[in-house]
Amino acid sequence: MASPTYITTPIYYVNDRPHIGHCYTTGLADCLARFSRLASGDPSQTYFLTGTDEHADKVVTSAAAHGMTPLQWADRNAAAFEEAFRACNYTHDDFVRTTQDRHKTKVIEYINALLASGDVYLGEYTGWWDASQEEYLTETMAKEAGFISPVTGKPLVKRSEKNYFFRLSKYQARLKAHIDAHPTFILPEARRNEVLGRLRDGLEDIPVSRAVTDDPASRWGILMPNDPGHRIYVWIDALFNYLSVVDRPELSRFWPASVHLMAKDILWFHAVIWPCMLMALNRPLPRRVYAHSYWVREGVKMSKSLGNFVTIEVMQAYAARYGMDALRWYLLTQGPSGTTDADFSHARFVEVFNADLANGIGNCASRVGNMIDKYFGGVLPEGVREHVAEGSTRSLSACCAASAANTMKALDTCDAGEALLAGIAIVREVDQYINLTSPFKLAKTVDADPSAKTRLADILYTCAEAIRVASVLLSPGLPTKMAQLWSAWGCAPAAGATLESLASFAGVHGLRAGSRVTKGEILFMRADPAEPAPA
RNA sequence: GCCGAGGUAGCUCAGCUGGUUUAGAGCGCUGGAUUCAUAACCCGGAGGUCGUGGGUUCGAGUCCCACCCUCGGCACCA
């Protein structure tokens, strides 16, 4: 597990305002990164990258509309993303912006290499030009539109221009072979099938440059190193970020990336174009490309026209009322990690909050902490060991081991939600165990029967230790609240400890006899379902 | 249009190569028990024609056909 782990999100279009979509992808990456650091015990072996994509033409026009230079505009908006991610407690190790020199110089290197190998060549692009929109439509799209502009209705003009092309077609067979040989290269599986399906239709070379025109806006971007009449197409520029950031001696161990996370709309670029470009560069391919689905809001698709995006402001309102951990929890466990879209529904949010957090880990930690406080003055007694409930088929230590295994298994497929839920399974078991063993009844017999005290100690230790294990598994999703619990129970994970050792029941990092276990504050106060959604 | 996925309890979904189930889980709902805890937790229940109609088979959510419905992908859009 000591092997370097490199997790990326897309770099976000800097003209956008941060919303739940960006935060979800980045949050998924954050959770996986936290798990990764925990698993290896060595944070320096994990690299989590996010950032912004800034060379789109519209950045120039938006900047102008706001009376700024493109870079000023990009500075401002990139900062908004960084602020949003900070508010979400994301732990990215780096935030790359495509306007940074460290990126641009590398992109030029890569393009030069591709020019030298002949994988990028000057060709001619012919398409249907929509003069009003200043963009080309593909043959199929033009046909669908009846060869008129879908926006203005004016006729499209067949037009050609010189462009640099990438020899995508050359790599089709190799890519297919790679996908076939690596069943989890593209996940979820349904996405993989989509890619394979489209691959059967064949690949054509793709333009990777745009002409530089009289319009000053067309100079925004990275110029083709050999030909100032062209600049590198923004998508190509953007894809290189994954490599450019770690392509230096101190970080080179992180390539190839462990996983590129993204939403389903940009799978093609990551699963086909990017891998082929890497092959052309003789670089290893990322180990995995993972495309999740979308969020909808209260059952309705989010759109600009409806103005119903779950914005960062909405998210912060939720965080203000329920805590950022609770919001993280909802996103991670209820999110669209699979092929179907997920609903951001307030009613559902409250249900999940109460079920998993308030009534789950929150209440269970509270009842256990309270009993230790009440019956043992908040000090874990000496000589404690695991106690197994009579008539119970499995012990809590076994349950902890099973949950830890389930977490690791879920992480194999980047399923952060399942990985987290394994922790809740322990909590459920502890609640059951408490009802089965009734320590609160036992406590009333202690005066008459001294041996009961020992059993009581064993029972409560068993509960507390199981919850500690659960807290470890939950911590990548609930970092703040679990840290709060650790502080109350004096069991913060030791630096350098691995997930495996931390999750070991009564192992080297288990709760120690004699340590103080205070009640602490309520972790998650039960939410009122009747209360309207935060504004 | 082409390619693909799916329609299972109120909701979200498990059910892989057909007979271990009298079709399951979580949440919600509803009875009961309990009091250590955040009216929390625990136990029980509620009976869903497993989209529709055929077919194959000793036996089909689980295979085949048709149909209805929903959804996703279709390359220069971050």
Side-chain angles (χ1 to χ4, degrees):
Chain A
M1 291 311 273
S3 61
T5 300
Y6 179 28
I7 298 168
T8 73
T9 74
I11 49 177
Y12 302 107
Y13 180 40
V14 79
N15 258 13
D16 278 349
R17 302 292 301 166
H19 59 66
I20 190 172
H22 309 111
C23 293
Y24 175 67
T25 312
T26 312
L28 192 54
D30 180 68
C31 186
L32 294 175
R34 287 176 186 264
F35 266 121
S36 168
R37 296 187 193 108
L38 205 51
S40 74
D42 181 357
S44 73
Q45 289 305 303
T46 296
Y47 207 73
F48 163 20
L49 176 71
T50 189
T52 42
D53 169 28
E54 312 193 345
H55 283 144
D57 288 5
K58 283 180 185 159
V59 171
V60 181
T61 47
S62 296
H66 291 261
M68 296 184 200
T69 66
L71 196 54
Q72 286 173 329
W73 172 250
D75 283 346
R76 201 190 82 168
N77 286 12
F81 277 95
E82 293 196 80
E83 278 165 34
F85 294 162
R86 197 176 312 123
C88 293
N89 285 329
Y90 294 158
T91 55
H92 41 285
D93 296 289
D94 201 348
F95 189 101
V96 65
R97 300 178 52 190
T98 52
T99 48
Q100 291 169 335
D101 283 340
R102 62 165 169 166
H103 171 71
K104 292 196 283 189
T105 56
K106 284 291 176 185
V107 169
I108 288 169
E109 271 181 34
Y110 303 143
I111 292 292
N112 272 329
L114 294 173
L115 282 165
S117 70
D119 283 310
V120 165
Y121 62 93
L122 188 62
E124 188 153 274
Y125 177 81
T126 304
W128 291 92
W129 178 250
D130 180 345
S132 59
Q133 299 305 108
E134 291 193 42
E135 67 180 15
Y136 282 101
L137 296 179
T138 59
E139 187 69 33
T140 39
M141 289 187 67
K143 189 184 284 179
E144 261 176 40
F147 300 100
I148 58 169
S149 165
V151 181
T152 60
K154 290 186 180 162
L156 299 173
V157 183
K158 192 142 195 177
R159 192 172 121 170
S160 321
E161 69 178 52
K162 292 276 186 189
N163 268 135
Y164 286 87
F165 282 75
F166 170 59
R167 256 180 238 290
L168 186 63
S169 57
K170 176 177 162 189
Y171 295 95
Q172 177 173 340
R174 270 178 68 185
L175 178 65
K176 172 148 188 341
H178 187 267
I179 296 173
D180 285 339
H182 301 84
T184 60
F185 174 55
I186 302 169
L187 285 181
E189 199 183 345
R191 299 293 169 208
R192 175 175 187 263
N193 292 337
E194 282 176 11
V195 171
L196 282 170
R198 284 179 62 187
L199 230 35
R200 279 193 285 276
D201 296 337
L203 295 178
E204 286 172 24
D205 294 352
I206 54 166
V208 294
S209 71
R210 284 295 143 91
V212 172
T213 64
D214 297 339
D215 184 352
S218 77
R219 294 195 64 80
W220 182 243
I222 304 176
L223 294 180
M224 282 296 289
N226 61 324
D227 185 347
H230 296 266
R231 67 204 150 116
I232 297 162
Y233 176 49
V234 61
W235 249 111
I236 302 303
D237 168 4
L239 282 169
F240 279 128
N241 92 87
Y242 302 122
L243 180 59
S244 71
V245 169
V246 297
D247 194 10
R248 48 196 167 108
E250 321 86 85
L251 295 175
S252 61
R253 68 182 186 281
F254 288 112
W255 193 262
S258 310
V259 57
H260 291 318
L261 297 166
M262 75 217 64
K264 58 189 177 186
D265 55 337
I266 55 175
L267 176 62
W268 185 254
F269 291 89
H270 289 80
V272 175
I273 297 173
W274 177 230
C276 289
M277 285 173 31
L278 287 165
M279 287 190 246
L281 287 168
N282 287 312
R283 301 277 188 155
L285 306 195
R287 299 193 195 288
R288 175 167 301 164
V289 172
Y290 190 104
H292 66 251
S293 300
Y294 292 143
W295 281 96
V296 300
R297 185 176 189 181
E298 303 294 350
V300 182
K301 185 171 179 166
M302 293 189 287
S303 71
K304 272 165 249 162
S305 50
L306 287 174
N308 64 338
F309 273 92
V310 178
T311 59
I312 186 67
E313 288 75 20
V314 172
M315 294 177 68
Q316 283 182 322
Y318 268 86
R321 187 190 293 174
Y322 305 101
M324 185 50 80
D325 279 13
L327 180 59
R328 290 171 58 103
W329 182 262
Y330 186 74
L331 297 187
L332 290 165
T333 63
Q334 305 297 312
S337 64
T339 335
T340 46
D341 294 347
D343 193 9
F344 190 88
S345 140
H346 182 252
R348 182 83 182 132
F349 181 95
V350 173
E351 276 179 17
V352 169
F353 175 87
N354 282 336
D356 292 343
L357 305 182
N359 301 344
I361 179 65
N363 180 246
C364 193
S366 171
R367 64 197 301 211
V368 170
N370 194 62
M371 285 191 278
I372 292 174
D373 177 78
K374 196 178 274 188
Y375 308 142
F376 292 96
V379 178
L380 268 187
E382 298 289 339
V384 289
R385 58 192 172 80
E386 187 190 6
H387 168 275
V388 178
E390 284 174 39
S392 183
T393 50
R394 64 175 190 168
S395 66
L396 281 177
S397 64
C399 170
C400 286
S403 278
N406 286 341
T407 293
M408 297 310 289
K409 188 174 160 216
L411 290 174
D412 281 343
T413 52
C414 298
D415 193 340
E418 281 302 311
L420 255 16
L421 254 4
I424 294 295
I426 297 176
V427 173
R428 228 185 285 286
E429 201 90 0
V430 172
D431 272 328
Q432 225 168 349
Y433 171 85
I434 293 174
N435 282 54
L436 213 55
T437 55
S438 305
F440 39 89
K441 280 185 188 163
L442 198 58
K444 289 170 184 161
T445 70
V446 179
D447 291 338
D449 173 15
S451 76
K453 184 103 180 169
T454 310
R455 238 178 330 137
L456 180 59
D458 289 345
I459 288 172
L460 291 182
Y461 171 79
T462 303
C463 293
E465 175 61 2
I467 287 181
R468 185 197 62 78
V469 173
S471 76
V472 171
L473 302 184
L474 294 170
S475 61
L478 306 169
T480 309
K481 293 298 185 176
M482 292 305 100
Q484 186 184 321
L485 178 65
W486 294 335
S487 147
W489 288 17
C491 60
T498 63
L499 176 57
E500 190 183 12
S501 67
L502 288 168
S504 160
F505 186 98
V508 288
H509 296 104
L511 286 167
R512 295 271 178 75
S515 67
R516 287 206 68 83
V517 172
T518 63
K519 286 197 287 186
E521 281 178 39
I522 295 292
L523 256 22
F524 300 98
M525 184 50 81
R526 197 178 152 73
D528 178 4
E531 197 180 354

